[in-house]
Amino acid sequence: MAVERTFSIIKPDATARNLGGAINAMIEKAGLRIVAQKRVLISRAQAETFYGVHRERPFFRELVDFMTSGPVVVQVLEGENAIVRYRDLMGATDPAKAAANTIRKAFAQSIGENSVHGSDAADTAQKEIAQFFSANEIVG
Ligand code: ATP
Ligand code: MG
């Protein structure tokens, strides 16, 4: 199995509750390595680009409002099969449906304010990483 990189965001609901360290501990305990990380405020334009695939969805505006409502921590995670492994660690989008021992089960507040993002495929991971990091900011 190949070593992969995936893109993660610790969302505003989680930074507001000071959960960055607790989420990073779960990431590292799961065997994923944080090879880049920064705390930023994202602009509406950045959020609209990032979640562009959801532009026509009824929750799009709410999603952009939320993602720009406070600081986020953007991250690159590295490990074997990292994309699927991080999705598994995050749990279902709706925390009511998230499995035990997942980040969203532990911390998410609602389907919208669900604490973390993770890339869903190799092509999106590459695009998302490139939106927020230059190559020399990622140190594996
Ligand atoms: P993410 O892309 O953030 O990792 P996901 O892949 O689990 O989450 P998506 O279907 O891509 O889920 O939705 C993107 C984000 O949009 C969700 O994480 C959530 O914050 C928000 N969202 C999704 N569905 C709803 C909804 N029904 N109501 C409000 N917000 C929603
Ligand atoms: Mg998604």
Side-chain angles (χ1 to χ4, degrees):
M1 208 153 286
V3 172
E4 285 179 335
R5 286 177 175 173
T6 192
F7 181 71
S8 162
I9 305 178
I10 300 176
K11 295 185 179 182
D13 67 287
T15 61
R17 288 174 289 151
N18 224 14
L19 291 171
I23 290 172
N24 280 352
M26 289 179 78
I27 289 170
E28 291 182 339
K29 193 167 175 216
L32 294 165
R33 187 171 291 273
I34 301 163
V35 295
Q37 172 168 263
K38 58 191 173 190
R39 181 176 172 101
V40 293
L41 269 175
I42 62 176
S43 66
R44 292 194 74 83
Q46 280 177 306
E48 285 169 3
T49 299
F50 185 78
Y51 278 122
V53 67
H54 296 310
R55 197 172 286 274
E56 305 305 324
R57 307 282 283 277
F59 58 80
F60 184 67
R61 193 193 164 95
E62 183 188 326
L63 176 58
V64 172
D65 285 348
F66 168 57
M67 292 300 291
T68 57
S69 67
V72 300
V73 178
V74 292
Q75 305 176 305
V76 180
L77 311 182
E78 186 178 87
E80 297 225 335
N81 216 11
I83 296 166
V84 166
R85 280 173 57 210
Y86 189 48
R87 295 287 300 186
D88 287 348
L89 177 64
M90 287 162 52
T93 310
D94 180 353
K97 297 179 182 154
N101 302 316
T102 62
I103 294 170
R104 284 169 169 167
K105 177 74 175 181
F107 300 126
Q109 296 180 301
S110 66
I111 193 168
E113 303 200 359
N114 60 7
S115 303
V116 281
H117 160 82
S119 307
D120 56 15
D123 58 338
T124 48
Q126 204 171 21
K127 269 190 219 142
E128 291 172 2
I129 290 168
Q131 190 185 344
F132 288 97
F133 291 98
S134 55
N136 67 3
E137 290 178 305
I138 306 168
V139 184

